[in-house]
Amino acid sequence: MRPTGRLHLGNYLGALQNWVTLQDSYKCIYCVADLHALTTMENPKEVLEIKSNIHEMVLDWLAAGVDPKRSMIFVQSQVPEVMTLHTLLSMVTPMGWLLRVPTFKEKVRQMDETEETVNYGLVGYPVLQTADIILYKADTVPVGQDQLPHLELAREIVRRFNHRFGDTFPEPQAKLTEAPLIVGLDGHQKMSKSLDNHVEMAASSQETTRRVLTAFTDPQRLRLEQPGRPEVCNVYSLHKIFGSTSEVATVHDECTTARRGCVDCKRHLARSINGSLESLRARREKFSKDPDFVRQVLEDGAIKARAIARQTIAEVYQRMGLA
Ligand code: SF4
């Protein structure tokens, strides 16, 4: 995950909860992708914020239940072997493969660049991503549908490397995750910090309520006497995630029969969100009081990750005929 600072409900429900569950059946490796973040950073202020963003994001991971005793948690750049592997993999990766990645063209457009002017790091993004996976010989990667082309590219790079230098890496398989799409409070397709339509996991109860009260609802419902349409209402979709089955049924019933106002409905939702996140927020508060806690978790994680990474690099050097 790129270090974006404090995470929001979309990150929590779309990724983190799944990460926590995966720990029950896999040996998991969770990495803060600070090098990836550099590929699109042009503003010096953003660069200065990386360290505090890492700290805040990892606090959210730990509060959500990502457990350093069961999983490796570290910062990508603290395992420099990943950069070595990135360089070596770039020797077997044709440019054409990278230029046809759908998200590459999209990113170039978003950055207002061209394929001629964009930094090399962005072109090589999927190679670094492949290095992130195979450095630890990971066999499974939890991904959403949109990440499948990247993983397919990682497999192609592995096949090419293994073909040229001998069987070294397993082909990583996708573990498709069914994450609910969390719509932004403004009704935008996706909750996102940059669109400022989000609720932070770590927000206070008051801030959560303030934010939820700004949420868009059924746009055709202008007065309390009009029945609402929960199926098109953003607030209702969040009730379905944070409310009990009976609460959701009540919301539906009272909305469609015009017995519930949208403001009360939003206050109800804010209470449900605050209730669901209460223990997570308390854990985060506790962790945040120990300034060394996150640093120690990341240091320990990097030591464990480097032990694996060094072995892989030694093997790769030998396969590639390097001294
Ligand atoms: Fe949405 Fe609730 Fe208003 Fe119905 S009452 S439109 S579910 S906010």
Side-chain angles (χ1 to χ4, degrees), residues 215-219 221 224 226-237 239 251-252 254-256 259-266:
F216 278 34
T217 60
D218 173 2
R221 190 179 192 211
L224 180 60
Q226 288 176 308
R229 297 172 301 161
E231 61 285 359
V232 300
C233 176
N234 185 16
V235 172
Y236 181 69
S237 68
H239 271 298
V251 172
H252 192 281
E254 293 183 355
C255 171
T256 50
R259 286 181 292 133
R260 155 179 294 249
C262 291
V263 173
D264 285 344
C265 193
K266 290 183 207 177

Side-chain angles (χ1 to χ4, degrees), residues 144-163:
Q145 196 78 32
D146 56 333
Q147 283 287 316
L148 280 178
H150 281 184
L151 197 62
E152 184 48 40
L153 181 53
R155 276 202 294 273
E156 282 183 66
I157 295 173
V158 165
R159 281 197 285 271
R160 192 175 254 241
F161 185 96
N162 287 349
H163 177 72

Side-chain angles (χ1 to χ4, degrees), residues 98-158:
L98 302 174
L99 295 176
R100 71 165 195 245
V101 173
T103 45
F104 171 67
K105 288 191 192 317
E106 174 63 16
K107 271 271 182 279
V108 169
R109 200 184 51 73
Q110 279 172 4
M111 289 171 75
D112 216 9
E113 300 266 5
T114 67
E115 288 181 14
E116 302 297 317
T117 60
V118 78
N119 68 61
Y120 160 73
L122 193 71
V123 186
Y125 196 107
V127 183
L128 183 57
Q129 220 170 27
T130 304
D132 276 326
I133 300 166
I134 68 174
L135 184 58
Y136 310 100
K137 303 218 174 169
D139 51 16
T140 308
V141 188
V143 285
Q145 196 78 32
D146 56 333
Q147 283 287 316
L148 280 178
H150 281 184
L151 197 62
E152 184 48 40
L153 181 53
R155 276 202 294 273
E156 282 183 66
I157 295 173
V158 165

Side-chain angles (χ1 to χ4, degrees), residues 36 64-65 104 112 115 136 169 213 225 240 293 304 306:
H36 282 287
F104 171 67
D112 216 9
E115 288 181 14
Y136 310 100
F169 297 110
L213 283 173
E225 308 79 67
K240 286 203 282 187
F293 179 60
K304 288 183 207 155
R306 285 199 80 182

Side-chain angles (χ1 to χ4, degrees), residues 6-302:
R6 288 181 170 212
L7 300 175
H8 55 68
L9 296 184
N11 305 126
Y12 176 55
L13 301 161
L16 265 190
Q17 273 194 335
N18 184 43
W19 286 17
V20 173
T21 310
L22 285 171
Q23 296 178 119
D24 295 336
S25 20
Y26 292 87
K27 268 176 82 180
C28 299
I29 300 177
Y30 296 124
C31 160
V32 181
D34 58 343
L35 297 169
H36 282 287
L38 288 176
T39 60
T40 49
M41 268 184 195
E42 282 163 358
N43 179 344
K45 189 170 155 274
E46 283 179 272
V47 175
L48 289 175
E49 284 169 353
I50 290 185
K51 274 191 193 155
S52 69
N53 281 348
I54 291 173
H55 183 85
E56 293 294 329
M57 188 173 84
V58 173
L59 272 177
D60 282 337
W61 289 9
L62 298 169
V66 177
D67 179 359
K69 291 199 182 76
R70 292 197 285 165
S71 301
M72 272 182 235
I73 306 171
F74 57 92
V75 178
Q76 187 183 26
S77 62
Q78 300 311 297
V79 184
E81 287 79 5
V82 78
M83 295 179 252
T84 307
L85 188 57
H86 170 242
T87 302
L88 297 175
L89 293 179
S90 71
M91 309 304 168
V92 298
T93 310
M95 276 292 282
W97 289 5
L98 302 174
L99 295 176
R100 71 165 195 245
V101 173
T103 45
F104 171 67
K105 288 191 192 317
E106 174 63 16
K107 271 271 182 279
V108 169
R109 200 184 51 73
Q110 279 172 4
M111 289 171 75
D112 216 9
E113 300 266 5
T114 67
E115 288 181 14
E116 302 297 317
T117 60
V118 78
N119 68 61
Y120 160 73
L122 193 71
V123 186
Y125 196 107
V127 183
L128 183 57
Q129 220 170 27
T130 304
D132 276 326
I133 300 166
I134 68 174
L135 184 58
Y136 310 100
K137 303 218 174 169
D139 51 16
T140 308
V141 188
V143 285
Q145 196 78 32
D146 56 333
Q147 283 287 316
L148 280 178
H150 281 184
L151 197 62
E152 184 48 40
L153 181 53
R155 276 202 294 273
E156 282 183 66
I157 295 173
V158 165
R159 281 197 285 271
R160 192 175 254 241
F161 185 96
N162 287 349
H163 177 72
R164 198 172 282 181
F165 299 106
D167 226 0
T168 311
F169 297 110
E171 279 185 38
Q173 303 301 316
K175 181 170 176 54
L176 263 180
T177 51
E178 288 289 333
L181 180 67
I182 308 303
V183 179
L185 294 177
D186 58 357
H188 190 275
Q189 255 199 334
K190 206 171 173 186
M191 188 171 275
S192 137
K193 217 177 206 178
S194 54
L195 296 170
D196 196 24
N197 62 9
H198 62 294
V199 178
E200 285 181 352
M201 290 166 60
S204 65
S205 307
Q206 293 86 338
E207 174 64 3
T208 302
T209 307
R210 191 188 70 74
R211 289 238 158 209
V212 170
L213 283 173
T214 68
F216 278 34
T217 60
D218 173 2
Q220 282 181 23
R221 190 179 192 211
L222 304 176
R223 289 190 312 277
L224 180 60
E225 308 79 67
Q226 288 176 308
R229 297 172 301 161
E231 61 285 359
V232 300
C233 176
N234 185 16
V235 172
Y236 181 69
S237 68
L238 288 168
H239 271 298
K240 286 203 282 187
I241 292 169
F242 289 100
S244 65
T245 315
S246 66
E247 272 181 307
V248 175
T250 304
V251 172
H252 192 281
D253 181 40
E254 293 183 355
C255 171
T256 50
T257 51
R259 286 181 292 133
R260 155 179 294 249
C262 291
V263 173
D264 285 344
C265 193
K266 290 183 207 177
R267 287 197 185 280
H268 177 184
L269 172 64
R271 280 196 301 278
S272 300
I273 295 174
N274 287 331
S276 299
L277 296 183
E278 195 179 350
S279 54
L280 181 155
R281 287 171 173 169
R283 272 195 301 278
R284 192 186 198 281
E285 176 73 15
K286 190 177 121 219
F287 295 149
S288 69
K289 288 198 171 125
D290 179 354
D292 285 337
F293 179 60
V294 170
R295 186 187 53 74
Q296 195 60 56
V297 164
L298 293 174
E299 261 181 40
D300 293 348

